[in-house]
Amino acid sequence: MHTPHTVATRLTVTSPEQMRDLGRRLAKLLRPGDLVLLTGELGAGKTTLTRGLGEGLGVRGAVTSPTFVIARVHPSLGDGPPLVHVDAYRLGGGLDEMEDLDLDVSLPDSVVAVEWGEGKVEGLAEDRLHVVIERTVGEQAGEQAAGGQADGEQADGEQALAPEEDVRRVVVTGVGPRWAGEDLASLAG
């Protein structure tokens, strides 16, 4: 069996605003047809990162969790690709159910970000970016912090947490030839 080519980088994120900043930086690497899988426990920061993706891509509409609608399309305000934000938590059938969503957009012409998609939607694309977000409660932020606000400052609408509760370890892995030449280390800011 062929093992796809992978390239990865690890980051430490210490606030919701830094997670949004990471999403904005990640958006600069994305192009139409890219699939981004977001993995992490409830409240890890998947939607916050996707909000940054939307800001970086310049799409219309507030990026919020699509839990109850399963998928939400955010058209571009400029000449960039639309963002399709999917919550696959309740999708049991994987690809078949994704195709049944009747999205009013062509997936190859869009950036598709899928929360809870691991093991369900990898078949959408040979090339994909897998973002794993883990809480690191009790650990101090490392030197690779992704830059951002000082402790205690919060973005609009973000719940204030104790600094040690905000720390996330993020591993971004590019799978397939599309990501072979990308410098994911540049995401460290």
Side-chain angles (χ1 to χ4, degrees):
M1 180 160 173
H2 174 68
T3 304
H5 175 45
T6 61
V7 58
T9 193
R10 297 175 188 279
L11 306 157
T12 299
V13 175
T14 60
S15 72
E17 185 55 37
Q18 285 185 9
M19 190 67 77
R20 282 174 77 163
D21 286 344
L22 176 58
R24 286 189 284 267
R25 286 193 303 276
L26 185 57
K28 293 176 185 174
L29 300 177
L30 298 175
R31 59 187 188 215
D34 281 344
L35 173 64
V36 181
L37 297 182
L38 300 161
T39 301
E41 64 188 42
L42 193 63
K46 298 178 299 293
T47 300
T48 301
L49 184 126
T50 306
R51 192 170 294 131
L53 279 179
E55 292 168 5
L57 291 171
V59 299
R60 187 175 72 224
V63 174
T64 59
S65 178
T67 300
F68 298 105
V69 295
I70 299 179
R72 187 171 281 125
V73 177
H74 297 275
S76 175
L77 291 171
D79 57 0
L83 173 65
V84 179
H85 185 198
V86 179
D87 184 330
Y89 186 76
R90 295 182 295 151
L91 291 181
L95 287 181
D96 294 336
E97 282 188 57
M98 274 290 292
E99 292 169 1
D100 290 344
L101 290 177
D102 193 30
L103 300 172
D104 62 344
V105 67
S106 167
L107 296 181
D109 296 331
S110 307
V111 169
V112 181
V114 184
E115 296 186 29
W116 306 101
E118 188 173 16
K120 297 178 182 178
V121 298
E122 286 89 342
L124 278 175
E126 175 188 358
D127 301 308
R128 60 192 171 276
L129 202 59
H130 195 169
V131 180
V132 178
I133 305 169
E134 296 176 336
R135 292 177 186 216
T136 58
V137 175
E139 296 181 32
Q140 292 299 317
E143 293 178 26
Q144 281 192 315
Q149 296 178 329
D151 288 341
E153 281 188 63
Q154 298 295 316
D156 292 339
E158 301 291 354
Q159 182 178 356
L161 298 173
E164 66 274 5
E165 292 176 1
D166 266 350
V167 176
R168 303 289 192 264
R169 180 159 295 119
V170 181
V171 179
V172 181
T173 305
V175 178
R178 152 74 178 95
W179 296 101
E182 290 288 350
D183 179 18
L184 296 180
S186 68
L187 293 172

